[in-house]
Amino acid sequence: MKEILDAILDPASRPADFAALPLPETYRAVTLHHDEEHMFDGVAPRDRDPRQSLHVDQVPVPELAWGEALVAVMASSVNYNTVWSSIFSPASSFAFLRRYGKLSQLAARHDLPYHVVGSDLSGVVVRTGPGVTAWQPGEEVVAHCLSVELESADGHNDTMLDPEQRIWGYETNFGGLAELALVKANQLMPKPKHLTWEEAATPGLVNSTAFRQLVSDNGASMKQGSNVLIWGASGGLGAYATQYALAGGAIPICVVSSEHKAALCRSMGAELIINRSAEGYQFWKDDTTQEPKEWKRFGARIRELTGGEDVDIVFEHPGRETFGASVYVARKGGTIVTCASTSGYMHEYDNRYLWMSLKRIIGSHFANYREAWQANRLIAKGKIHPTMSAAYPLEHVGQAALDVHQNLHHGKVAVLCLAPREGLGVRDHLLRATHLTAINRFRND
Ligand SMILES: NC(=O)c1ccc[n+]([C@@H]2O[C@H](COP(=O)([O-])OP(=O)(O)OC[C@H]3O[C@@H](n4cnc5c(N)ncnc54)[C@H](OP(=O)(O)O)[C@@H]3O)[C@@H](O)[C@H]2O)c1
């Protein structure tokens, strides 16, 4: 890998140099081991420690097929799906690989006794497979995580509806937390030129998801002036939702759990903030009984902040713990748009507040290629900014995942793969200088 890294770091390298570089037989990757998928049986998901399950191994370079690209990965990031796969909950990702492997001979490459995880990357294309014309070796790229086969008509209006839709690096193998990654070429997008490798590696998954969920007509179709309640407003998804609300002329009502996170939201430009820890909302009396009085107290607080208005859109992802409150506080005719269930996926809400007030619940999941491209374009133009708080070396990926699992992080956590240090990869220094404060906003001091 040293020759590839040297070529990336050498400003004189040309595309032909990358195409001519020999590929190594093996590369370093963050893996889960199939024979450990039951290691946490009997341990509550919240107590499972990713440092025990995530390994850094040398693994063989996969065979490159039609329509695919091999990317030398400079940096990647920890997503919540890294947490899910590392704690083998709610399902072992080896079940996904097994199912995918049955699809075709090429998909069978993914069904291995190890799983290279990771759903984000920034890096340089080193090889393209037959049929790839839009991308060449030497191009600096990021990758979105939508893997589709597109053989069925179902996915041709909106690729997220493809029956063989998968999240790369979670439901497929050869992910981004590694020195090399295998992607479908239609996952590739230009790397934003004003960002370092590690900054560029962090928006992909969450930025695209927030774009579809909040902005796209496939999600909540946010409008200028919309009141948007954003759970976890300084977290992975939420910090992008907050930026989209502000950039689109909407009014975010940011829910966070600490004063530091409240300050981050304020520094993005949000004015209406609820510190859920300080205000002590308890939406459940016990494991099975909700507390509607607390929904009402929460709704009253929102009205206090908005001057008596309710919210048009609730940006949902905590799930079971908050969903009853989310349905309650949406305005008549409002939308609850959900993409996740961090605290539990068996949601409960009082349906009278939904149907009598003509509210809608919309399910949203990642983004199609077009939406991911639009979201990346806004990063590249400096309209939306990365939210990286820290970058860990590949060897410390377990700690990085533990921080996210325990909600100790802010924004996004990057992981350096081939990049020997932080700060490399900036090509447009002028654009960077214009937005430096915003780019560094989430940085841990
Ligand atoms: N479907 C998709 O395509 C997709 C894409 C990305 C992520 N997701 C899912 O979305 C969820 C969030 O991902 P993320 O990257 O934003 O994670 P994250 O960085 O951990 O941020 C989530 C934030 O939500 C808040 N939160 C967590 N539990 C909560 C609870 N019980 N009640 C209220 N707020 C709570 C926390 O903020 P405070 O502590 O500040 O309140 C936390 O920082 C995960 O389950 C992830 O798997 C789905």
Side-chain angles (χ1 to χ4, degrees), residues 78-82 84 145 160 167 205-206 209-210 213 231-239 255-258 261-262 274 276-277 283 315-322 338-343 364-367 403-405 407-412:
V78 173
N79 281 298
Y80 215 91
N81 72 12
T82 323
W84 297 129
C145 62
M160 282 305 295
I167 298 298
L205 186 148
V206 282
T209 305
Q213 189 175 350
W231 291 103
S234 71
L237 285 170
V255 187
V256 290
S257 64
S258 72
K261 292 178 175 185
I274 297 176
R276 67 182 173 102
S277 303
F283 299 128
F315 186 86
E316 243 296 335
H317 49 90
R320 183 171 171 82
E321 241 174 83
T322 55
T338 173
C339 76
S341 294
T342 311
S343 64
S364 189
H365 187 36
F366 188 59
D403 287 356
V404 176
H405 186 25
N407 197 15
L408 299 174
H409 68 303
H410 302 120
K412 289 282 302 177

Side-chain angles (χ1 to χ4, degrees), residues 157-440:
N157 275 352
D158 174 7
T159 46
M160 282 305 295
L161 300 183
D162 189 87
E164 299 297 341
Q165 178 273 320
R166 291 179 173 81
I167 298 298
W168 161 73
Y170 179 53
E171 294 165 294
T172 76
N173 215 324
F174 316 123
L177 285 162
E179 293 175 335
L180 278 175
L182 183 74
V183 297
K184 293 185 192 282
N186 60 21
Q187 289 175 241
L188 296 175
M189 307 186 293
K191 172 189 168 285
K193 292 185 192 315
H194 65 302
L195 299 181
T196 63
W197 294 110
E198 60 279 5
E199 289 161 356
T202 54
L205 186 148
V206 282
N207 179 37
S208 312
T209 305
F211 182 90
R212 179 180 175 110
Q213 189 175 350
L214 193 55
V215 180
S216 165
D217 286 343
N218 289 315
S221 294
M222 183 190 77
K223 300 285 184 296
Q224 293 199 6
S226 296
N227 285 332
V228 185
L229 181 76
I230 302 171
W231 291 103
S234 71
L237 285 170
Y240 286 96
T242 302
Q243 292 189 68
Y244 280 118
L246 290 164
I251 300 161
I253 297 109
C254 297
V255 187
V256 290
S257 64
S258 72
E259 263 319 300
H260 181 71
K261 292 178 175 185
L264 283 171
C265 293
R266 265 185 223 107
S267 79
M268 282 188 278
E271 292 171 355
L272 312 184
I273 295 165
I274 297 176
N275 180 338
R276 67 182 173 102
S277 303
E279 297 179 22
Y281 297 103
Q282 296 288 342
F283 299 128
W284 291 79
K285 280 187 216 165
D286 55 47
D287 282 353
T288 53
T289 325
Q290 297 215 46
E291 180 52 282
K293 278 194 203 136
E294 285 290 273
W295 302 347
K296 290 181 185 166
R297 183 163 77 92
F298 185 59
R301 177 74 175 118
I302 292 170
R303 285 184 181 172
E304 191 187 333
L305 289 171
T306 59
E309 294 175 349
D310 293 330
V311 295
D312 300 279
I313 300 168
V314 183
F315 186 86
E316 243 296 335
H317 49 90
R320 183 171 171 82
E321 241 174 83
T322 55
F323 206 80
S326 292
V327 170
Y328 178 78
V329 300
R331 77 160 173 81
K332 222 172 161 69
T335 300
I336 302 96
V337 62
T338 173
C339 76
S341 294
T342 311
S343 64
Y345 49 79
M346 295 303 278
H347 296 187
E348 229 176 65
Y349 61 89
D350 185 333
N351 201 33
R352 290 170 297 179
Y353 292 114
L354 190 87
W355 100 73
M356 292 294 288
S357 294
L358 301 103
K359 303 179 188 183
R360 296 181 307 154
I361 296 172
I362 298 178
S364 189
H365 187 36
F366 188 59
N368 62 36
Y369 191 13
R370 179 74 187 141
E371 290 160 340
W373 188 281
Q374 287 171 308
N376 185 57
R377 173 176 169 266
L378 290 168
I379 299 274
K381 286 185 172 296
K383 305 279 184 199
I384 298 288
H385 303 289
T387 59
M388 192 192 90
S389 55
Y392 284 73
L394 200 61
E395 302 74 40
H396 295 170
V397 68
Q399 184 61 48
L402 184 66
D403 287 356
V404 176
H405 186 25
Q406 295 183 336
N407 197 15
L408 299 174
H409 68 303
H410 302 120
K412 289 282 302 177
V413 177
V415 176
L416 300 178
C417 298
L418 279 171
R421 60 180 184 280
E422 291 183 46
L424 303 173
V426 177
R427 309 295 175 224
D428 184 341
H429 292 275
L430 198 60
L431 186 59
R432 181 175 184 78
T434 315
H435 297 295
L436 201 57
T437 306
I439 292 168
N440 286 329

